[in-house]
CSV table of all heavy atoms in Angstrom, one decimal:
chain,number,residue,atom,x,y,z
A,220,THR,N,-8.0,5.0,-10.4
A,220,THR,CA,-6.8,4.3,-10.0
A,220,THR,C,-6.1,5.0,-8.8
A,220,THR,O,-6.0,6.2,-8.8
A,220,THR,CB,-5.8,4.0,-11.1
A,220,THR,OG1,-6.4,3.3,-12.1
A,220,THR,CG2,-4.6,3.3,-10.6
A,221,VAL,N,-5.7,4.2,-7.8
A,221,VAL,CA,-5.0,4.8,-6.7
A,221,VAL,C,-3.6,4.1,-6.7
A,221,VAL,O,-3.4,2.9,-7.0
A,221,VAL,CB,-5.7,4.6,-5.3
A,221,VAL,CG1,-5.9,3.2,-5.0
A,221,VAL,CG2,-5.0,5.3,-4.2
A,222,TYR,N,-2.6,4.9,-6.2
A,222,TYR,CA,-1.2,4.4,-6.2
A,222,TYR,C,-0.7,4.4,-4.7
A,222,TYR,O,-1.1,5.3,-4.0
A,222,TYR,CB,-0.3,5.1,-7.1
A,222,TYR,CG,-0.8,5.2,-8.5
A,222,TYR,CD1,-1.6,6.3,-9.0
A,222,TYR,CD2,-0.5,4.2,-9.4
A,222,TYR,CE1,-2.1,6.3,-10.3
A,222,TYR,CE2,-1.0,4.2,-10.8
A,222,TYR,CZ,-1.8,5.3,-11.2
A,222,TYR,OH,-2.2,5.3,-12.4
A,223,LEU,N,0.2,3.6,-4.5
A,223,LEU,CA,1.0,3.7,-3.3
A,223,LEU,C,2.5,3.6,-3.6
A,223,LEU,O,3.0,2.5,-4.0
A,223,LEU,CB,0.6,2.6,-2.2
A,223,LEU,CG,1.3,2.7,-0.9
A,223,LEU,CD1,0.9,4.0,-0.1
A,223,LEU,CD2,1.0,1.5,0.0
A,224,GLN,N,3.2,4.7,-3.5
A,224,GLN,CA,4.7,4.6,-3.7
A,224,GLN,C,5.3,4.3,-2.4
A,224,GLN,O,5.2,5.1,-1.4
A,224,GLN,CB,5.2,6.0,-4.3
A,224,GLN,CG,6.7,6.0,-4.5
A,224,GLN,CD,7.1,5.1,-5.6
A,224,GLN,OE1,6.6,5.1,-6.6
A,224,GLN,NE2,8.3,4.4,-5.3
A,225,MET,N,6.1,3.3,-2.3
A,225,MET,CA,6.7,2.8,-1.1
A,225,MET,C,8.2,3.0,-1.3
A,225,MET,O,8.8,2.3,-2.1
A,225,MET,CB,6.3,1.4,-0.7
A,225,MET,CG,4.8,1.3,-0.6
A,225,MET,SD,4.4,-0.4,0.0
A,225,MET,CE,4.9,-1.4,-1.4
A,226,ASN,N,8.9,3.8,-0.5
A,226,ASN,CA,10.3,4.0,-0.5
A,226,ASN,C,10.9,3.6,0.8
A,226,ASN,O,10.2,3.6,1.8
A,226,ASN,CB,10.7,5.5,-0.8
A,226,ASN,CG,10.2,5.9,-2.2
A,226,ASN,OD1,10.1,5.2,-3.2
A,226,ASN,ND2,9.7,7.2,-2.3
A,227,SER,N,12.2,3.4,0.8
A,227,SER,CA,12.9,3.0,2.0
A,227,SER,C,12.3,1.9,2.8
A,227,SER,O,12.0,2.0,4.0
A,227,SER,CB,13.1,4.3,2.9
A,227,SER,OG,13.8,5.3,2.2
A,228,LEU,N,12.0,0.9,2.1
A,228,LEU,CA,11.2,-0.2,2.6
A,228,LEU,C,12.0,-0.9,3.8
A,228,LEU,O,13.2,-1.1,3.6
A,228,LEU,CB,10.8,-1.2,1.6
A,228,LEU,CG,9.6,-0.7,0.8
A,228,LEU,CD1,9.5,-1.5,-0.6
A,228,LEU,CD2,8.3,-0.9,1.5
A,229,LYS,N,11.3,-1.3,4.8
A,229,LYS,CA,11.9,-2.1,5.9
A,229,LYS,C,11.3,-3.4,6.0
A,229,LYS,O,10.2,-3.6,5.5
A,229,LYS,CB,11.5,-1.3,7.2
A,229,LYS,CG,12.0,0.2,7.2
A,229,LYS,CD,11.6,0.9,8.5
A,229,LYS,CE,12.1,2.4,8.5
A,229,LYS,NZ,11.7,3.0,9.7
A,230,PRO,N,11.9,-4.4,6.7
A,230,PRO,CA,11.3,-5.7,6.8
A,230,PRO,C,10.0,-5.7,7.4
A,230,PRO,O,9.1,-6.5,7.1
A,230,PRO,CB,12.4,-6.4,7.7
A,230,PRO,CG,13.6,-5.7,7.3
A,230,PRO,CD,13.3,-4.3,7.2
A,231,GLU,N,9.7,-4.7,8.4
A,231,GLU,CA,8.5,-4.7,9.0
A,231,GLU,C,7.3,-4.2,8.1
A,231,GLU,O,6.1,-4.2,8.5
A,231,GLU,CB,8.5,-3.8,10.3
A,231,GLU,CG,9.1,-2.5,10.0
A,231,GLU,CD,10.6,-2.4,10.4
A,231,GLU,OE1,11.3,-3.4,10.1
A,231,GLU,OE2,11.0,-1.4,11.1
A,232,ASP,N,7.7,-3.7,6.9
A,232,ASP,CA,6.6,-3.4,6.0
A,232,ASP,C,6.1,-4.6,5.2
A,232,ASP,O,5.1,-4.4,4.4
A,232,ASP,CB,7.2,-2.4,4.9
A,232,ASP,CG,7.6,-1.0,5.5
A,232,ASP,OD1,6.8,-0.6,6.4
A,232,ASP,OD2,8.6,-0.5,5.1
A,233,ALA,N,6.8,-5.7,5.3
A,233,ALA,CA,6.3,-6.9,4.6
A,233,ALA,C,4.9,-7.3,5.0
A,233,ALA,O,4.6,-7.4,6.3
A,233,ALA,CB,7.3,-8.1,4.9
A,234,ALA,N,4.0,-7.5,4.0
A,234,ALA,CA,2.6,-7.9,4.3
A,234,ALA,C,1.9,-8.0,3.0
A,234,ALA,O,2.5,-7.7,2.0
A,234,ALA,CB,1.9,-6.7,5.1
A,235,VAL,N,0.7,-8.5,3.1
A,235,VAL,CA,-0.2,-8.4,2.0
A,235,VAL,C,-0.9,-7.0,2.0
A,235,VAL,O,-1.5,-6.7,3.0
A,235,VAL,CB,-1.3,-9.5,2.0
A,235,VAL,CG1,-2.3,-9.3,0.8
A,235,VAL,CG2,-0.6,-10.9,1.9
A,236,TYR,N,-0.8,-6.3,0.9
A,236,TYR,CA,-1.4,-5.0,0.9
A,236,TYR,C,-2.7,-5.0,0.1
A,236,TYR,O,-2.8,-5.6,-1.0
A,236,TYR,CB,-0.4,-4.0,0.2
A,236,TYR,CG,0.7,-3.5,1.1
A,236,TYR,CD1,1.7,-4.5,1.5
A,236,TYR,CD2,0.8,-2.3,1.6
A,236,TYR,CE1,2.7,-4.0,2.3
A,236,TYR,CE2,1.7,-1.8,2.4
A,236,TYR,CZ,2.8,-2.7,2.8
A,236,TYR,OH,3.8,-2.4,3.6
A,237,TYR,N,-3.7,-4.4,0.7
A,237,TYR,CA,-5.0,-4.4,0.1
A,237,TYR,C,-5.5,-3.0,-0.2
A,237,TYR,O,-5.3,-2.0,0.6
A,237,TYR,CB,-6.1,-5.0,1.1
A,237,TYR,CG,-5.8,-6.4,1.5
A,237,TYR,CD1,-5.0,-6.8,2.6
A,237,TYR,CD2,-6.5,-7.4,0.7
A,237,TYR,CE1,-4.9,-8.1,2.8
A,237,TYR,CE2,-6.2,-8.8,1.0
A,237,TYR,CZ,-5.4,-9.1,2.1
A,237,TYR,OH,-5.2,-10.4,2.5
A,238,CYS,N,-6.1,-2.9,-1.3
A,238,CYS,CA,-6.8,-1.6,-1.7
A,238,CYS,C,-8.2,-1.6,-1.3
A,238,CYS,O,-8.9,-2.6,-1.3
A,238,CYS,CB,-6.7,-1.5,-3.2
A,238,CYS,SG,-7.5,0.0,-4.0
A,239,ASN,N,-8.6,-0.4,-0.8
A,239,ASN,CA,-10.0,-0.2,-0.4
A,239,ASN,C,-10.6,1.0,-1.0
A,239,ASN,O,-9.9,2.0,-1.2
A,239,ASN,CB,-10.1,-0.1,1.1
A,239,ASN,CG,-11.5,0.3,1.6
A,239,ASN,OD1,-11.8,1.5,1.9
A,239,ASN,ND2,-12.3,-0.8,1.9
A,240,ALA,N,-11.9,0.9,-1.4
A,240,ALA,CA,-12.5,2.1,-2.0
A,240,ALA,C,-13.9,2.3,-1.4
A,240,ALA,O,-14.7,1.3,-1.3
A,240,ALA,CB,-12.7,1.9,-3.6
A,241,ASP,N,-14.2,3.5,-1.1
A,241,ASP,CA,-15.6,3.9,-0.7
A,241,ASP,C,-16.3,4.4,-2.0
A,241,ASP,O,-15.9,5.5,-2.4
A,241,ASP,CB,-15.5,4.9,0.4
A,241,ASP,CG,-16.8,5.5,0.8
A,241,ASP,OD1,-17.9,4.9,0.4
A,241,ASP,OD2,-16.9,6.6,1.5
A,242,ALA,N,-17.1,3.7,-2.6
A,242,ALA,CA,-17.7,4.0,-3.9
A,242,ALA,C,-19.2,4.0,-3.9
A,242,ALA,O,-19.8,3.3,-3.1
A,242,ALA,CB,-17.1,3.0,-4.9
A,243,THR,N,-19.7,4.7,-4.8
A,243,THR,CA,-21.2,4.8,-5.0
A,243,THR,C,-21.5,4.3,-6.3
A,243,THR,O,-20.9,4.7,-7.3
A,243,THR,CB,-21.7,6.3,-4.8
A,243,THR,OG1,-21.4,6.7,-3.5
A,243,THR,CG2,-23.2,6.4,-5.1
């Protein structure tokens, strides 16, 4: 599992956020 803690959010941060993994 990977996490993204987002603080002090701004309007320009609005988006769809996607997770990516380089896996074997």
Side-chain angles (χ1 to χ4, degrees):
T220 299
V221 63
Y222 305 94
L223 184 67
Q224 178 66 47
M225 304 185 293
N226 299 324
S227 301
L228 282 160
K229 303 175 180 180
E231 51 263 45
D232 295 319
V235 176
Y236 282 70
Y237 296 91
C238 176
N239 174 266
D241 176 15
T243 298

